[in-house]
Amino acid sequence: QVQLVDSGGGLVQPGGSLRLSCVASARLFSLYSGGWYRQVPGKQRELVARINSGGSTNYADAVAGRFTISRDNAKNTLYLQMNSLKPEDTAVYYCNLEGVTINYWGQGTQVTVSS
């Protein structure tokens, strides 16, 4: 069973930055695509950013140019660097690890952007 532990959330002022981390217990971490999603109460979980095994990335329009997803395969870790944060970025952020036969989620970390 793969476990994902995400962390790094918190309270930040508008314009500030946070870096989320997600450590995976997967043995073949480097072969999987990783992603970050977010969810606010009453809404569906939405994609923030994804990175595939080759390092190619894609972003939601709302965060493109402000957020950067990356991975360190030696540490089995996904990152999400979030800059120029806005109040509308407030949500619970979840990391995801996906392959042909797997689809795992972290427990979520709260990000609150408020003055």
Side-chain angles (χ1 to χ4, degrees), residues 6 20 34-50 58-64 66-67 69 80 82 85-96 98 105 108-109 111:
D6 40 29
L20 307 183
W36 288 95
Y37 292 72
R38 66 187 182 187
Q39 189 171 22
V40 297
K43 292 191 175 182
Q44 286 190 333
R45 194 171 295 185
E46 63 178 10
L47 172 69
V48 175
R50 289 202 65 82
N58 64 285
Y59 296 91
D61 289 344
V63 306
R66 299 188 296 123
F67 291 10
I69 188 171
L80 185 69
M82 305 186 295
L85 282 161
K86 304 176 180 180
E88 51 263 44
D89 295 318
T90 296
V92 178
Y93 284 70
Y94 297 89
C95 65
N96 171 259
E98 185 178 27
W105 294 90
T109 184
V111 172

Side-chain angles (χ1 to χ4, degrees), residues 15 19 21 23 28-30 33-34 38 41 46 49 55 57 60 84 99 106-107 109:
R19 188 175 82 155
S21 300
V23 180
L28 302 176
F29 174 84
S30 63
S33 292
R38 66 187 182 187
E46 63 178 10
T57 59
S84 302
Q107 82 281 4
T109 184

Side-chain angles (χ1 to χ4, degrees), residues 5-29:
V5 179
D6 40 29
S7 63
L11 173 64
V12 63
Q13 293 187 340
S17 298
L18 284 174
R19 188 175 82 155
L20 307 183
S21 300
C22 173
V23 180
S25 65
R27 288 175 52 225
L28 302 176
F29 174 84

